[in-house]
Amino acid sequence: DAGITQSPRYKITETGRQVTLMCHQTWSHSYMFWYRQDLGHGLRLIYYSAAADITDKGEVPDGYVVSRSKTENFPLTLESATRSQTSVYFCASSPDGTPTLYGYTFGSGTRLTVV
Amino acid sequence: TQLLEQSPQFLSIQEGENLTVYCNSSSVFSSLQWYRQEPGEGPVLLVTVVTGGEVKKLKRLTFQFGDARKDSSLHITAAQPGDTGLYLCAGANAGGTSYGKLTFGQGTILTVHP
């Protein structure tokens, strides 16, 4: 029961570099989400996906790109990293669009530092 | 944009004390969830409340959804050091552009001292 895994767990990158955070789930959940967590802001939605090849912007999408060519993978790319993107990033999944029933299952997070 | 305000943001208490965390919004939610997060890990779902006025109990934790479905509370009785963590409330909307998405509060960091 691998669940939902994020990689890497920790990443340090330089300003202006491109970096990709990986998310893989083994349940074939339809919905997947990317959140960033910053003190005082809670969890803020960056992008989400309702199915393979269907993605949409969340609350804070600027500077990020996502793709979902396969149901199980949902990578998040920072095209040109900035210091303001230093954060802890969480990937989550849900069987369908009704979190009322199942809630979200989160990965363990990626701590990204941009220097 | 729907907002959820949690209070207090920080809570430091002694083992055995009782506490309540509040989650408030001006918006109506179809359901509300509470998650607990430990350092270095992702949030884990504790409970979902759906009906206005609903009360759910999970051992020493009691969750309540407001009658108007705009607010919720988490009450912990006789807190233990193992309860230490970040508690997050999250609201769900049933349809429209918010379908499938949760809105999270900013969280309450609870520390229970032995």
Side-chain angles (χ1 to χ4, degrees):
Chain A
D1 184 57
I4 183 165
T5 56
Q6 292 185 237
S7 61
R9 285 300 307 269
Y10 303 92
K11 176 74 176 178
I12 299 175
T13 192
E14 294 178 339
T15 301
R17 289 199 181 255
Q18 182 182 81
V19 60
T20 297
L21 310 184
M22 304 302 293
C23 179
H24 175 78
Q25 53 107 350
T26 59
W27 298 301
S28 298
H29 283 177
S30 297
Y31 276 71
M32 295 187 74
F33 308 85
W34 274 106
Y35 284 87
R36 60 177 292 174
Q37 186 172 42
D38 305 287
L39 189 63
H41 291 281
L43 287 161
R44 291 183 290 176
L45 182 64
I46 304 171
Y47 269 95
Y48 71 103
S49 169
D53 297 322
I54 301 175
T55 62
D56 206 350
K57 296 178 181 179
E59 181 186 354
V60 289
D62 293 343
Y64 303 94
V65 175
V66 294
S67 62
R68 195 164 176 209
S69 57
K70 293 184 178 181
T71 300
E72 61 266 31
N73 297 322
F74 191 39
L76 175 73
T77 298
L78 287 67
E79 295 183 293
S80 178
T82 65
R83 290 195 180 90
S84 65
Q85 292 177 310
T86 292
S87 186
V88 181
Y89 291 85
F90 286 98
C91 179
S93 71
S94 182
D96 61 18
T98 54
T100 299
L101 293 177
Y102 304 105
Y104 288 2
T105 302
F106 284 86
S108 297
T110 294
R111 182 175 292 275
L112 176 69
T113 302
V114 184
V115 299
Chain B
T1 302
Q2 297 176 308
L3 293 175
L4 278 169
E5 296 288 337
Q6 277 188 246
S7 61
Q9 190 173 356
F10 300 95
L11 198 52
S12 180
I13 62 172
Q14 293 297 126
E15 182 175 2
E17 292 183 5
N18 300 332
L19 67 109
T20 302
V21 177
Y22 299 93
C23 179
N24 295 293
S25 176
S26 58
S27 303
V28 175
F29 291 97
S30 62
S31 67
L32 201 134
Q33 300 179 338
W34 285 91
Y35 290 78
R36 179 168 172 264
Q37 185 179 10
E38 296 191 30
E41 297 297 328
V44 175
L45 180 65
L46 294 174
V47 76
T48 300
V49 285
V50 180
T51 307
E54 183 177 3
V55 176
K56 281 191 174 179
K57 291 192 175 184
L58 189 65
K59 297 183 180 179
R60 295 176 292 100
L61 278 62
T62 301
F63 305 85
Q64 185 162 6
F65 202 10
D67 291 340
R69 291 186 288 130
K70 292 183 178 181
D71 57 87
S72 181
S73 64
L74 158 61
H75 182 78
I76 301 179
T77 303
Q80 298 177 359
D83 295 326
T84 293
L86 173 66
Y87 290 82
L88 294 156
C89 64
N93 231 337
T97 58
S98 298
Y99 185 70
K101 294 184 287 185
L102 291 174
T103 299
F104 283 84
Q106 71 268 50
T108 295
I109 298 174
L110 171 65
T111 304
V112 183
H113 301 280

